[in-house]
Amino acid sequence: PDLEYNRDDPKNLYRPWGFQPGHQAEWAKLLVTLNRYAPAEWMLPRACELFDKAYALSWDKDHGGMVYGYDLNGKWCDTDKYFWVQAESFATAAMLLQATGDAKYKKMYDALWNYCWEHFIDHTNGAWYRILNQDNSKVTNEKSAAGAKCDYHTLNSVFEVLKTFDL
């Protein structure tokens, strides 16, 4: 891999530099889903490993939420918070709780859901804000943008949580 690609542009929307914990969480969620239908011994441990590392390295202990990117040493390189990262992550935490019974995933789920409820969801006009700064202030009032990021992540993640918790 080209570890220098976009190093000078870590906030590139489509090809950011560094590691994106949201993608690690999303892969973990997909592994848990695959394991439901075609179980393999390696899938659940790998899903836990991916999610645990993503959460540990990206959770903002001061302001809540998961930042968008970190470098090869785990140092944040993009401190913005994207709606889809939080959504994929709370769904993954719920699914890992169900799959493993490990209470740490309930704590992660609660922290992520409460964070989203407080900061990302527009309770007046509906939908989720796309991006927040590290201090949770809105970058813009923009919600899902056609051709960019869409409501797929939030809707699918809430659906997975409802299914997981049998609500």
Side-chain angles (χ1 to χ4, degrees), residues 26-131:
E26 193 171 15
W27 270 108
K29 185 180 88 171
L30 293 171
L31 286 173
V32 175
T33 302
L34 284 171
N35 199 57
R36 285 178 185 160
Y37 302 102
E41 281 187 37
W42 64 270
M43 282 192 206
L44 196 53
R46 180 53 52 96
C48 292
E49 179 185 1
L50 284 168
F51 184 73
D52 291 353
K53 186 164 190 165
Y55 189 90
L57 291 175
S58 67
W59 181 257
D60 184 340
K61 292 171 183 67
D62 295 326
H63 303 287
M66 293 170 65
V67 300
Y68 192 65
Y70 55 86
D71 69 13
L72 301 172
N73 298 311
K75 183 180 178 203
W76 296 346
C77 59
D78 185 347
T79 59
D80 288 344
K81 297 168 185 172
Y82 283 69
F83 78 103
W84 72 267
V85 173
Q86 319 309 313
E88 291 291 342
S89 296
F90 71 64
T92 304
M95 293 168 72
L96 286 171
L97 171 63
Q98 181 189 52
T100 68
D102 190 329
K104 73 180 180 184
Y105 295 115
K106 176 71 164 99
K107 290 180 183 175
M108 293 175 183
Y109 167 80
D110 286 343
L112 284 157
W113 176 253
N114 290 332
Y115 173 77
C116 291
W117 187 260
E118 183 176 344
H119 298 288
F120 267 100
I121 298 170
D122 181 347
H123 297 279
T124 303
N125 300 305
W128 292 47
Y129 296 106
R130 283 192 61 233
I131 306 170

